[in-house]
Amino acid sequence: MLAAPENRFQHVYFALSALVASAMLVLVYISMRSSLNERLREDLAKAQRQMIFERPNPHWDYSNSWRRIGNSTLRHEIYSAYFDARTDIVGNVRMDDEQMTIGSLRIFAILPERLRDSSINCIVRFSDFSSQEIKAEEAGAMHDVHNNTFAAWSIMCPLHASRRSPLRLPQAVALAYASNRLSHLSPTFIQISYPRNMTNMFGRSRPTISVCVGPLHENYSNVLRLVEFVEMYRLQGATHFYFYYVEASEEVLRVLEHYQRIGLADVFEWNVQAHMQDVHYAGIVAQFNDCVYRANVVDNFRYAAVVDLDEVVMPLKHNTLADYLRQCDEGRTAGFVFRNVFFHRRDSNDTFNAPSHVLNRLLYTQSKVRRTLEVLPAYIRSKVVVNARAIVEMGNHQVYRAAPGYADHVVHPTVGLLFHYRDKCINCKMVLIVDYTARRFGSLLFDRVDNTCLEVFLNRGICDLV
Ligand SMILES: *[C@@H]1O[C@H](CO)[C@@H](O)[C@H](O)[C@H]1NC(C)=O
Ligand SMILES: *[C@@H]1O[C@H](CO)[C@@H](O)[C@H](O)[C@H]1NC(C)=O
Ligand SMILES: *[C@@H]1O[C@H](CO)[C@@H](O)[C@H](O)[C@H]1NC(C)=O
Ligand SMILES: *[C@@H]1O[C@H](CO)[C@@H](O)[C@H](O)[C@H]1NC(C)=O
Ligand SMILES: *[C@@H]1O[C@H](CO)[C@@H](O)[C@H](O)[C@H]1NC(C)=O
């Protein structure tokens, strides 16, 4: 029998009310859960700050190198591991009577782009040689594989500690997974990098600008460019440089040693020879992620500029990069994205501003004064100065993943640009304009380059331009 029209109306009305009520219940449940989760994370952060963290490997000097994992013919390699105190980037945190999450381990490796294992484990080892296996919460190839068979991997294993006994941190870690049986039978342990100064772990980062330079390879030999690059960034306020080399000329290595000796640079061997053909650009993805984690975890530096030797970040309205950051960083920016303009190395040499007394006259930032009018869009060949503490996964031209609460800032092209001094033009017909901005560093830059070249190459004072 058909219901009376008002009866049917009532049915619809009840059904709708029930729907609204259950939607509200679900919303209340979700908000309760997320506020519980927030509370748990706040409590965890508080409890974490009250623990005593002691570096378990105080004599280790932080010098990593690539090492084979398990079966050597597979060419699986591991480079570095960092203790990461940020619990907000761990998915499943624990905080009960037994255990609490104290952070995670971040490991960088080179593995096949497609590994058939469904899971990877971290084997952590303590100073008494006891060990423990932890299932990785994240394990995968990072972005920018570019169709290579091998890729730079980022692996994250959460660390939980017992609440009943004093905190014990692992000293070393290895990766174990089924497709490489030997990785489990004879693990390749690498030392875990902890902060140099453990008391700074939860304090503010030091407002230092560090510079991460892509791996030097193919017998890199342009000494003058290297010195000019370092002195240019120093004039802009950078105080530390991280260099990685696959292969470089003897003179380049002498310059790097010099900067290392005066405490300005760390220099790491980047022995990826086994993968020069099958991983993107000498493993650069692993390199800049390693560098940003190193700046954050080991040295507690706030900023890392991830650039190549032919790229200069150029603020246009502030005197230096340091001034720009001091005035414009409000603390929630993951990366300041500087958009790209090209200068061409083939362009004529304008040495007009080189003082007559200088020995090294052909500085690239001073002799090339014409740049492309077009500013490329953000994330296309742009470069980023990151807040190291905000980074989970770094890319070459952008931040791929930031910690909760941080976002990118694209620098307006009237405020700053990336000056990219390329050897070859990509489109040689592009409209060029004269831009003298970099010349404001000229007088100091010429002298500093000459001084460094004199210190390193006593007899001549000339840095070769190759
Ligand atoms: C190592 O890997 C190669 C290639 O997959 C395989 O032929 C060899 O049996 C493996 N060796 C061991 C000891 O598992
Ligand atoms: C990637 O490699 C495959 C197989 O070698 C090839 O067919 C494909 O065209 C490549 N793609 C790109 C974007 O290079
Ligand atoms: C570690 O940092 C603290 C606080 O910044 C400082 O007081 C202490 O001197 C530092 N220790 C070392 C060995 O540098
Ligand atoms: C590297 O370059 C330097 C200087 O250009 C040269 O003397 C040396 O022979 C080169 N080494 C190799 C292995 O090519
Ligand atoms: C600029 O100077 C370099 C070094 O002397 C020289 O090799 C190059 O040909 C010059 N470029 C032009 C366009 O004259």
Side-chain angles (χ1 to χ4, degrees):
M1 206 185 109
L2 280 174
E6 63 268 37
N7 221 348
R8 203 184 311 159
F9 184 72
Q10 269 182 352
H11 276 139
V12 172
Y13 177 76
F14 277 127
L16 274 178
S17 328
L19 207 72
V20 169
S22 45
M24 279 176 64
L25 272 177
V26 168
L27 281 178
V28 166
Y29 175 72
I30 290 175
S31 81
M32 260 172 61
R33 260 194 68 136
S34 60
S35 74
L36 259 181
N37 191 20
E38 251 166 54
R39 274 245 302 286
L40 169 73
R41 285 180 184 272
E42 272 168 31
D43 290 348
L44 185 62
K46 236 181 260 159
Q48 190 192 28
R49 272 151 214 254
Q50 281 158 7
M51 302 182 97
I52 297 166
F53 288 81
E54 262 179 77
R55 186 139 59 98
N57 47 7
H59 302 298
W60 186 55
D61 65 356
Y62 298 97
S63 57
N64 292 97
S65 64
W66 285 101
R67 297 181 53 202
R68 287 279 156 93
I69 304 172
N71 184 340
S72 160
T73 59
L74 298 175
R75 293 184 298 130
H76 296 178
E77 317 233 12
I78 184 168
Y79 187 72
S80 55
Y82 293 91
F83 172 74
D84 191 336
R86 299 173 294 183
T87 49
D88 58 351
I89 64 164
V90 177
N92 292 311
V93 288
R94 287 192 64 173
M95 170 106 172
D96 47 43
D97 296 339
E98 297 281 316
Q99 289 210 309
M100 67 174 265
T101 307
I102 53 162
S104 62
L105 296 178
R106 175 73 53 175
I107 297 153
F108 298 110
I110 288 180
L111 297 173
E113 198 238 332
R114 287 166 220 274
L115 197 68
R116 48 196 161 83
D117 304 80
S118 57
S119 71
I120 291 189
N121 284 356
C122 292
I123 308 177
V124 295
R125 193 178 69 191
F126 296 86
S127 52
D128 61 0
F129 291 96
S130 65
S131 65
Q132 183 193 337
E133 267 194 53
I134 305 166
K135 186 168 182 287
E137 188 179 294
E138 290 168 18
M142 290 187 273
H143 286 79
D144 295 329
V145 177
H146 293 284
N147 220 14
N148 286 289
T149 48
F150 280 82
W153 278 55
S154 169
I155 294 127
M156 188 272 272
C157 290
L159 275 185
H160 311 289
S162 162
R163 302 193 76 178
R164 301 187 191 288
S165 45
L167 179 60
R168 214 165 59 117
L169 292 170
Q171 200 172 51
V173 63
L175 295 176
Y177 43 99
S179 68
N180 186 348
R181 245 167 33 87
L182 273 178
S183 68
H184 199 263
L185 297 176
S186 117
T188 305
F189 282 103
I190 57 166
Q191 295 289 312
I192 299 167
S193 294
Y194 288 92
R196 284 187 205 277
N197 186 340
M198 295 291 274
T199 56
N200 292 333
M201 200 143 66
F202 301 110
R204 285 167 62 80
S205 52
R206 291 195 272 162
T208 301
I209 303 172
S210 62
V211 182
C212 293
V213 188
L216 308 183
H217 64 129
E218 290 174 345
N219 194 18
Y220 190 83
S221 55
N222 195 333
V223 185
L224 184 56
R225 179 177 287 197
L226 173 62
V227 173
E228 180 183 353
F229 172 89
V230 171
E231 299 304 331
M232 179 56 129
Y233 274 94
R234 285 176 81 183
L235 285 173
Q236 294 233 39
T239 51
H240 202 80
F241 295 80
Y242 296 103
F243 287 104
Y244 299 72
Y245 69 93
V246 183
E247 191 189 17
S249 72
E250 199 185 314
E251 293 194 323
V252 162
L253 292 178
R254 265 174 72 183
V255 169
L256 294 181
E257 262 166 42
H258 165 76
Y259 284 131
Q260 195 171 19
R261 199 165 49 241
I262 63 175
L264 198 64
D266 282 322
V267 183
F268 305 100
E269 195 189 350
W270 190 251
N271 53 327
V272 284
Q273 282 81 359
H275 287 289
M276 290 307 280
Q277 305 306 322
D278 57 18
V279 67
H280 176 55
Y281 195 85
I284 193 168
V285 178
Q287 180 267 330
F288 49 62
N289 277 280
D290 177 78
C291 186
V292 169
Y293 273 81
R294 198 178 285 275
N296 174 37
V297 172
V298 176
D299 293 315
N300 198 33
F301 294 153
R302 185 167 309 157
Y303 302 109
V306 178
V307 289
D308 279 328
L309 287 173
D310 56 0
E311 295 169 331
V312 178
V313 165
M314 188 63 66
L316 305 176
K317 297 219 157 124
H318 299 79
N319 285 335
T320 62
L321 180 60
D323 282 345
Y324 168 73
L325 292 169
R326 202 175 301 122
Q327 287 178 28
C328 301
D329 185 6
E330 288 171 355
R332 303 317 291 175
T333 300
F336 294 87
V337 182
F338 288 82
R339 292 168 58 185
N340 180 95
V341 291
F342 289 115
F343 290 72
H344 300 311
R345 198 175 167 197
R346 295 262 171 80
D347 201 5
S348 55
N349 298 315
D350 178 342
T351 53
F352 181 71
N353 78 330
S356 55
H357 66 272
V358 300
L359 296 172
N360 299 280
R361 307 177 68 79
L362 262 184
L363 304 189
Y364 65 89
T365 62
Q366 304 302 304
S367 63
K368 306 298 172 193
V369 293
R370 297 197 308 159
R371 69 159 172 91
T372 50
L373 174 64
E374 186 194 357
V375 180
L376 292 184
Y379 310 121
I380 310 244
R381 294 176 185 275
S382 52
K383 287 294 163 111
V384 192
V385 178
V386 300
N387 176 348
R389 216 167 256 193
I391 302 304
V392 180
E393 185 186 335
M394 189 61 204
N396 202 351
H397 308 292
Q398 70 195 88
V399 176
Y400 279 120
R401 196 175 138 209
Y406 292 96
D408 271 0
H409 174 78
V410 177
V411 178
H412 194 275
T414 60
V415 175
L417 289 170
L418 175 75
F419 282 11
H420 189 167
Y421 297 85
R422 264 186 75 93
D423 288 353
K424 294 187 189 117
C425 37
I426 290 183
N427 169 6
C428 296
K429 300 239 162 66
M430 289 207 282
V431 179
L432 301 179
I433 57 167
V434 171
D435 186 329
Y436 289 125
T437 320
R439 286 221 166 146
R440 69 180 196 262
F441 296 106
S443 56
L444 284 171
L445 188 65
F446 278 112
D447 284 344
R448 292 225 191 171
V449 168
D450 264 11
N451 280 350
T452 301
C453 295
L454 267 170
E455 270 177 60
V456 181
F457 305 106
L458 292 171
N459 49 350
R460 298 179 294 133
I462 304 275
C463 283
D464 279 326
L465 171 82
V466 180

